[in-house]
Each structure stands twice: as structure tokens, then as C-alpha cells.
Amino acid sequence: MTDPNDDLFAPGSRSIVRCGSCARAADGTSESCACGGLFDVLHPRPAVFPVPTGHNSGVWRFGDLVMPGASTPVSWPEGRTPLVEREAVRSYANVGQLWMKHEGMNPTGSFKDRGMTAAVTDAVRSGATAVACASTGNTSASLGAYASMAGLRALVFVPQGKVALGKLAQATAYGAKTLAVRGDFDAALDLARAASRQLGVYLANSINPWRIEGQKTIAWELLEQLDWNVPEWIALPAGALGNTSAFGKALREARALGRIARVPRLLAVQASGAAPFATAFAERFSRRVTVSAETAATAIRIGNPASWDRGVRAIRETDGVVVAVSDGEILDAKAVIDAAGIGCEPASAASVAGVKALRAQGTIGPDDRVACVLTGHLLKDPDAVVAYHAGGSRLSNPPVEIEPDLRAVARILEAR
Ligand code: F0G
């Protein structure tokens, strides 16, 4: 008889890395399995869900279920991000309760730092001298910072002309070599994977299973902040599906170890111009969909999500939903989040826009409690803010040019 937990935990006393499709063990030299599947990390089964330690890092305080035995993690430190509520955002989405888990408060301004601390720690212990990633921007910023801390060379492959200014500035400033690929993210990822296979650089994209291990801690920290009272929904933006996969694995492990009795439903939100996963969900995942992606939310401008199978598993196991929202809905939600004094980058606001859309169609109930993950900081994409507020939307708030004259100031105060 097979143990139902075979799938979740390693059989022996050490963590193992094996293919999620054919279960072949990773040999440590390839970024994915010969069968085309992606590798997963399995840890030995602890007796109970480990009590988080007092570690400064919100990732390494869960170290026993991230990378047991990692003695010298490459850590900023990261995580321990705030969970906040604002009435303006709750009423905009029209749900019973709404929390925002602000992952933009990580050291490089996005949730990627949680995965990167684990991946770069693994790169160092496996003797890598150079690391690489393809990125829509945030992963490259994060890899730049962590590679610099570890003293590794970093190569980042980004889609030329399609990366937000803040992210490009970060990668350059942290010392990563930026390669602007004449193509989209999907082409950049193909190139980075080939470079990893043929030139031996360590690949730090979210197909790397250690990235998933680090990112699981977003879900655990969020639930801990709710005193482990599981909300009805957790909403997050979805691109390559690494984070969706991480949330699925975190919830699966927390339930298997008895930390939670039920899992929240995951709501993965895509931009309508980059929505292969939402299209496939509507067809009950009967086929793998790819598209040529276009959206103002450049972080999730991805047409061929790499973590497809594990993303599907996360949605199925949580009775989850995948939805697409327009760029207009994303940018309006962002303006509400921004004006509430919180702020996030465009892709992050897809979470709140998706909640609003599902509430309007009745899938999310009026009393449901929803946690939205804000994946990146407002300052990542200043051009998006300037462009939005220059437009004529109801929420737009453009700067006004005035003479250095007090009467001009008085006129502005009166107009309000
Ligand atoms: N939100 C932000 C701000 C992101 O940067 C990303 C992905 C996502 C959401 C989606 O996460 O890909 O795991 O489904 N950014 C990657 C990057 C692709 O290169 O920075 P996902």
C-alpha cells in the first residue's frame, strides 16, 4: 500500500530533490529533469509543524521546512512583512474582510527575496561561481542583491524594453550583468535555461525548487499573522506560476502536519493579455495553453508559464480559481491601494482586482475573508504611476505646475 504522504515528504532522514513528473532523483547538474518535468524538494517528515524560531529572517525561521541544516544562509534578512487592512481597499473589493500581505516590503522590494535567499544559499553550497535568471525585472533585482552578498557573478536576461525602471536600476546597481534580450520573457527564459545547461551557470528562476521552498514562507507567515485562522481565500497575481506553486506546497505541508485543518481557496489572477492559465482553467485544464503576452503589468507579462503542472496541482488541491482581469481593472485597483497610503506595483494590484471581479460575479461571498498578496513595491514602476495619473481617470491625481506665489497655493486649497 502506498503511503499518501509519500508525495509530500522524503522517505529517509535527509531532504531530497526529485522530478515532480517521473520521480527521478536530481543529479545536481541540470535545471530540470531529462523527462521535461521540474524538480521538487521533499523534506523528512517532522513530527509536528515546527514552531518558527526567532531568526531575523522570515524565511529561515521556518528553516526546518525550507532547507534543513543550512548553516550559513545567504540572508539579507528577508520576510517578516506586514499584513495590513485598509477600509478603502476592503470596500472597493466589497468583501467581508480584506488583508494585504505586503511583500513589497522585502529588502529589494518584492517577494522574490524569499525564494532567492534559499536558491543562492543552495548555489553557494553546490560550488557555483556564476548564477543567472531570466526575469520580467523583480527576480533580476533580487538575484543581483543576493549574488552580490554571496560574491557570485550574476547574469540576468530581461526582455528588452519591457522591464520597469526601478527593477532595471536595481539589477544594474547591485552589480548584475544585464542582458537585454530582443524577445519576450519566454524567449529570455529559454535562453537562460540553455545557458544553464550548456555553460554551467546556476539557474535561479522559480523552476529552481529551492525558490519554491523559500516562497512557501509567505503563506505560513500570513497564516501565522492571522493566528492560523484560515481565511476563505488567498489571492495572488500569477505569471510563471512559481508563487502559485509555492502557496500550494505550503498549504499542503501545513495541512499534512496538522497545523491547519483546511486550506484556503487560492485565487490566481492574470492580466487578460497574458492569461494562458486562466484560459486553461476555464477549460478544466484539459490542455496546456501558451499565448503571446501583452500587459501593462510587465511583471506578469508571461505567455508560457514554466511551473504549469505544479500550478495546476495548487489550484486543484485548494479548490482554487484562476481569473483574468483587464489592465484597466488592475490599474484602477492599484490607484485605490496606492491612495490608501500602501502602494504596490501594477502586477500586485491584480490580486485585489481579481477579488473585486469574483465578488461581483458571486464566486466570493459577501462575508468571505480574503488575504491579497501585494507582491511588489510602488516604486518598482514609477512610469506606470505617472502615466496613470496623467490620464483622465476618476482617480487620477496629476501634479499641478504653479508660479512661486501664495495665491496659487490658496486657489488649490479652495478648489478642494
Ligand atoms: N508579482 C510580481 C511583482 C512579480 O514580479 C511576479 C513575477 C509575479 C507577481 C508572478 O509570480 O511568476 O511566480 O507567477 N515576476 C517574475 C520576475 C517573473 O522575473 O520577476 P510568478
Side-chain angles (χ1 to χ4, degrees), residues 111-112 135-139 237-243 299-300 302 345 375:
F111 72 98
K112 304 291 180 180
S135 181
T136 56
N138 282 322
T139 302
L241 304 178
N243 218 24
I300 51 173
I302 294 172
E345 67 165 285
T375 45

